[in-house]
Structure formats: C-alpha cells, structure tokens
Amino acid sequence: MAESVDSSDSSDVDAVSANGRDPESHSTVRNVVLVVLDTARATSTGPATTPNLHRLAADGTRFDNAFATAPWTLPSHASMFTGTYPSEHGTHGGHTYLDDGLRTLTESFADSGYETIGVSNNTWITEEFGFDRGFDDLRKGWQYIQSDADMGAVVRGEDFREKLQATRNRIFDGNPAVNAANILYSEVFQPAGDDGADRSTTWIRNWLADRDGDDPFFLFCNFIEPHVEYDPPKAYAEEFLPEGASYEEATAVRQDPRAYDCEDYRLTDREFAMLRGLYRAELAYVDDQLARLRSALEDAGEWEDTLFVVCGDHGEHIGEHGFFGHQYNLYDTLIDVPLVCHGGPFTDGGRRTDFVQLLDLPATLLETAGVDDPELRDQWSSRSFHPDSIDDARDAVFAEYVAPQPSIERLEDRFGEIPDRVREYDRRLRAVRTTEYKYVRADDGTERLHRVDTDPLERDDLSEQEPDQVRAMRRRLEAQFDPLEDAGASGEVEMREGTKERLADLGYL
C-alpha cells in the first residue's frame, strides 16, 4: 500500500494516527460501504437488469475483469474479509469456520476508530462461522427480531399441519415471545418477493438517521435475492420472462439445484429460460434496493464522503455447462462478477479492464480510507487497485474450489445412489486465467484449457491440442500455490439445526 507505516514501528493500526487514518494519505474518504449482491454474475448485470448499478458505474469506476476466488459464498466472503485465497484461509465446504487467527477487514476498521455495522441476509455470514469479528453489530436479515433461535422450520412447512408441528417443536427454543413474533412475520407479514433486502435497506436508513457521534463507519450488507429460490415480485418478473411465459408458470418450476445435479428431476430449455428470467428479475429488484441505499446515504449527508463498493460474491449456473446453482466447477459463469466503486479516487473513473480479484478489496478499501494495518498486510495476498497504488497490477487471476458443499456423503444420504458424474465432483480444483487462456486442474489429474479470448463460454477444451500452453499454465498455478494435494483443511464445524434448515432452503444441503 502507498504511504504505509513501517511494520517495525508498531503492530497496531493506531500507529498511523489517533484513529488509524492517515490524514496525509492520497484520495481518502471518511466512510466505507461494501455491498454484496449475492450470486450476481457479471454477464447478467447491465442497463437492462441493473440500471442503478449501471448509473453508479457511469459516475464511478466499473471493473470489467473482476473475479471471485471461489464459486460460492463462504470461501468467497472469507477471501473478501481476509485478503487471502481459500487454501490460505482454509474456509470451505470441509471446514466451514473462519480461523480465529486470521485478521479481518472489519477488525482493521474497528481498531481504527470506525463504527462497524453488518447486515447479512445469507446464513453463512454470521457469528456461527466466524464472520462477526470486528463488527459492533452484525444483524441477521432473515429475522424480524434478532435472536439465536431460528424459526426457519416453520417457514418451510408445506401445509398448516407441518407449520403447526414446527411451531410446537421450536417455540420454546430461546425466547417464546421473540420466536412467536418471528413466526408471525415470516408467515403473515413478510412481503412477497423479498428475501430481506427491503427491510435491510429500511433498517440501514433508520440507523443512518439515528446514529450519533462523529466516528466514520464501515457498513457491510449482503443482499441475497438473486440466490435460489428465485421469487421476485410479479411486476419485476413479467419484465424478464420469455415470451408466452406467465409468472405462475415460471414460479412453479422446481428450483432444487442439488436434486437437479443428482438427476432427481430434469429441466427443459424452456424451463431454464423461465428461471433465467426470474433470476434477472431478482437482480432488477435488488438493484432498486441498491438505489434506496444510495438515497439513504445521500439523505444522511454521507454520500459525498463515502467509498461505495458493490460486487457479486460469485455467479450462477442456470443451465450453462449442464449445471444449476454454483458448485463443483470454476467456469467464468461462477467466478466472473460485477464490481463497481464510487467515491474518492473512483469518482468519474470510467471503465477499467485490468484484472482484479475480490481478495484485493481489503488492500484497496484500507488505502482509500487512509488506514494501514501491518498485521493484516502481512497476512494477505491482496493488491490495492487504488488508482495511485504502488502495488503491481495483476496479469492473471486465480480461483479455487477446495471441497464440495454439500459433501458427496450428504448427497448419498439424501438421494441414495447418485450419478457417477456427481461423484467425480468430489475433488479440489484450481484455475488460473489470463487475458488469453483459462487453465483448470483437479487433484485427480484432470485438466482443461480454454482460449477465453475466442471461446469466452469455455466450450472447447484445448488441453490435448496445446500441451506447451498447458505446461506453462500449470507452472503458473504451481508458482502461486502449494501442491494441489496438500491444499485445504478438514474437520467440518458442527452447525446448529436451525442453520442447517436455513441452508437447505438456499439449496446448499
């Protein structure tokens, strides 16, 4: 990072100034807001689906080549929070907890005098998995009243009898009055077509209006609407469904990615087209919530002094390559994500085509805020993409898939016999991508090579035709990481039952 402090002076962020911010640092901002559009793939965003994000990019800076380090929520967020690759932070399907020994971006801001607020609408990003460290308040967006008890079993009941039974089983798990209020909200009062974005934005608006004190703030928000199940408001869906498809027909299509993978059911081309329409409608809906969030910052008088960052954490397959959901592979459909920055040096910054990774966010956000953290800097693989950064630009990006989620054993428990093609996905993957080539290697020795400049959909495997290029790309991977067979950790952290059920709703279990 530019203008950093010598780490030998102090291990504390306070070494920079009284509150950890460098008043002489270039292009600093007061506040930092990081918004994650869960499951947003780059190819599905743009003027038609996300006009507010498009306008934000026109006023700020759009990154055309931004890539996640992993194809699903938990390891991708761990990279964003720590500036490390999955094999470095060890958080994946086989080890679902963020290591206590890792420094997080939020801790850095907190130790620098920032008020730190998080709103998560994805159940992986909670205190249970280690993501609360550094937050003054990390709210669970799926709960009307914040509580450790999860009434998700009531939400999933297929009929009145099941809902009643689930209520009987869970009402005394914690505070019965709070549980009853959460059940009433989910069953009676929760707006249709919203998975927490509207209430999250409203809560943030109220927090901004009511907060006292002059401390700068770091605000993190995850909007989960583009995630399965796609259930946008009808008015949004009707704008994107294929010709002749009704809202009722589209929403009746089964959405169960793991069952689809295991050939428990099939989807026609028309059904996938309807699902893609629903997905795009979800993006449009959450894009309007993004505009509301910007308006809240403007009304609070904070917009002009805020670095506002919007990204996807990973993408989605909706029939591409024969997949539904975001597991098992590292196609660009899953790791190419939108990234827009506004504020400070990123205002009127235009479009950038250089490679950036989501793990570059810690270095970039801290540099833009004028905060230096030697402990976090010593840990990360992050490179700042601040326009004035002295960090080297990337000429390649990397991604990893360490372990399936859910595991093959859990798929067998659910479906019995599973297809051989699914069993083959019980492997680790690594990918390296340059402007010309994409190379993917598995720990079982299989490998793929794509010429992405002429084959952006990664349809043609050239590994046999171009052995010299395969060897060159393999050396790039080996130079970046330890041997593939040594990657990752094991020992899955036991989840609470309510969390398991909520994750099942999202298609993970």
Side-chain angles (χ1 to χ4, degrees):
M1 288 174 58
E3 300 187 22
S4 61
V5 217
D6 187 337
S7 59
S8 63
D9 291 342
S10 172
S11 61
D12 297 326
V13 240
D14 297 340
V16 181
S17 68
N19 65 355
R21 306 175 74 227
D22 183 356
E24 302 300 324
S25 180
H26 52 256
S27 301
T28 59
V29 294
R30 172 177 165 79
N31 311 306
V32 176
V33 175
L34 173 59
V35 180
V36 174
L37 307 183
D38 206 295
T39 322
R41 60 188 191 184
T43 54
S44 293
T45 59
T49 52
T50 53
N52 294 301
L53 182 62
H54 185 71
R55 284 190 287 271
L56 184 73
D59 295 336
T61 303
R62 165 182 165 178
F63 292 84
D64 288 339
N65 287 302
F67 289 85
T69 63
W72 65 288
T73 293
L74 183 73
S76 181
H77 276 74
S79 290
M80 280 189 277
F81 276 64
T82 65
T84 59
Y85 288 101
S87 58
E88 294 173 327
H89 59 61
T91 310
H92 51 73
H95 183 272
T96 54
Y97 190 80
L98 186 62
D99 190 333
D100 285 338
L102 288 168
R103 178 89 166 156
T104 68
L105 174 67
T106 313
E107 289 175 309
S108 184
F109 278 119
D111 290 348
S112 301
Y114 282 68
E115 187 175 2
T116 53
I117 301 295
V119 179
S120 171
N121 286 286
N122 189 311
T123 54
W124 285 114
I125 312 305
T126 65
E127 71 280 1
E128 184 168 354
F129 301 107
F131 286 90
D132 61 323
R133 296 204 306 275
F135 280 109
D136 296 324
D137 187 8
L138 177 60
R139 299 181 61 82
K140 305 179 184 74
W142 57 93
Q143 294 185 347
Y144 184 71
I145 300 174
Q146 297 300 293
S147 170
D148 289 336
D150 190 346
M151 296 295 103
V154 179
V155 179
R156 291 183 297 279
E158 296 295 329
D159 53 29
F160 178 76
R161 180 188 58 81
E162 288 189 4
K163 291 179 182 293
L164 181 61
Q165 185 61 47
T167 300
R168 288 172 175 168
N169 290 343
R170 296 302 178 95
I171 193 69
F172 294 107
D173 182 8
N175 186 320
V178 170
N179 293 342
N182 284 334
I183 291 169
L184 282 172
Y185 171 73
S186 64
E187 298 304 307
V188 180
F189 298 114
Q190 185 176 25
D194 183 274
D195 294 320
D198 179 74
R199 194 158 55 92
S200 297
T201 306
T202 299
W203 184 88
I204 292 170
R205 172 176 284 278
N206 292 337
W207 169 75
L208 285 168
D210 295 341
R211 68 187 297 262
D212 51 13
D214 295 324
D215 289 340
F217 61 80
F218 169 66
L219 171 64
F220 163 78
C221 182
N222 172 295
F223 289 130
I224 202 171
E225 272 68 15
H227 199 294
V228 165
E229 290 186 1
Y230 318 134
D231 57 345
K234 184 175 182 179
Y236 286 82
E238 290 175 343
E239 291 186 34
F240 296 99
L241 290 177
E243 185 175 356
S246 69
Y247 176 75
E248 291 72 22
E249 181 186 10
T251 54
V253 176
R254 184 179 177 186
Q255 298 185 42
D256 190 337
R258 301 293 77 81
Y260 175 81
D261 294 337
C262 292
E263 300 178 357
D264 193 54
Y265 77 109
R266 297 189 181 278
L267 291 167
T268 66
D269 289 345
R270 175 177 169 79
E271 287 172 324
F272 268 128
M274 288 189 287
L275 290 177
R276 283 190 286 271
L278 292 176
Y279 172 76
R280 286 161 61 85
E282 290 280 32
L283 287 170
Y285 175 72
V286 79
D287 181 70
D288 280 348
Q289 296 297 324
L290 192 65
R292 289 187 61 219
L293 184 54
R294 173 176 179 168
S295 176
L297 288 161
E298 289 173 337
D299 292 346
E302 300 287 2
W303 177 253
E304 296 299 327
D305 204 17
T306 293
L307 173 62
F308 192 77
V309 179
V310 184
C311 66
D313 62 335
H314 56 76
E316 183 83 318
H317 284 309
I318 316 175
E320 296 84 3
H321 301 287
F323 288 96
F324 182 23
H326 44 269
Q327 292 288 336
Y328 305 136
N329 55 73
L330 292 172
Y331 288 110
D332 276 9
T333 325
L334 298 190
I335 61 172
D336 184 10
V337 295
L339 174 62
V340 172
C341 298
H342 182 281
F346 298 102
T347 303
D348 299 324
R351 294 175 66 170
R352 283 175 51 175
T353 59
D354 50 319
F355 279 132
V356 298
Q357 300 221 238
L358 295 185
L359 63 75
D360 295 329
L361 287 171
T364 307
L365 302 191
L366 292 186
E367 181 166 6
T368 308
V371 172
D372 189 25
D373 186 341
E375 182 181 353
L376 184 57
R377 178 158 35 86
D378 288 346
Q379 159 192 299
W380 71 32
S381 296
S382 192
R383 300 186 191 182
S384 173
F385 50 79
H386 187 292
D388 298 326
S389 174
I390 62 173
D391 287 351
D392 293 334
R394 294 187 180 276
D395 60 357
V397 290
F398 300 87
E400 299 182 275
Y401 184 67
V402 180
Q405 172 59 42
S407 67
I408 299 302
E409 291 75 19
R410 285 161 73 180
L411 290 177
E412 289 175 329
D413 288 344
R414 179 182 174 190
F415 299 106
E417 187 61 30
I418 61 176
D420 289 340
R421 76 165 191 134
V422 174
R423 196 176 304 278
E424 291 173 359
Y425 299 146
D426 191 10
R427 59 186 181 179
R428 293 170 178 153
L429 296 175
R430 280 179 175 158
V432 54
R433 190 191 191 284
T434 65
T435 55
E436 290 183 280
Y437 286 97
K438 169 88 166 284
Y439 172 71
V440 184
R441 182 173 177 83
D443 64 356
D444 60 7
T446 59
E447 53 191 1
R448 295 179 64 88
L449 179 72
H450 300 281
R451 184 74 186 259
V452 288
D453 58 347
T454 58
D455 178 28
L457 299 181
E458 301 171 81
R459 289 173 173 164
D460 301 321
D461 178 12
L462 304 178
S463 56
E464 293 186 2
Q465 292 96 310
E466 299 193 38
D468 290 343
Q469 188 63 44
V470 167
R471 284 191 289 271
M473 298 294 276
R474 187 187 305 140
R475 285 195 294 269
R476 291 294 302 266
L477 274 183
E478 292 172 350
Q480 179 66 37
F481 299 113
D482 291 333
L484 188 58
E485 60 271 15
D486 296 334
S490 61
E492 184 173 0
V493 174
E494 182 62 26
M495 289 180 283
R496 290 191 291 267
E497 196 62 32
T499 303
K500 292 180 180 179
E501 293 167 347
R502 175 68 177 175
L503 294 175
D505 278 352
L506 299 178
Y508 285 117
L509 307 183

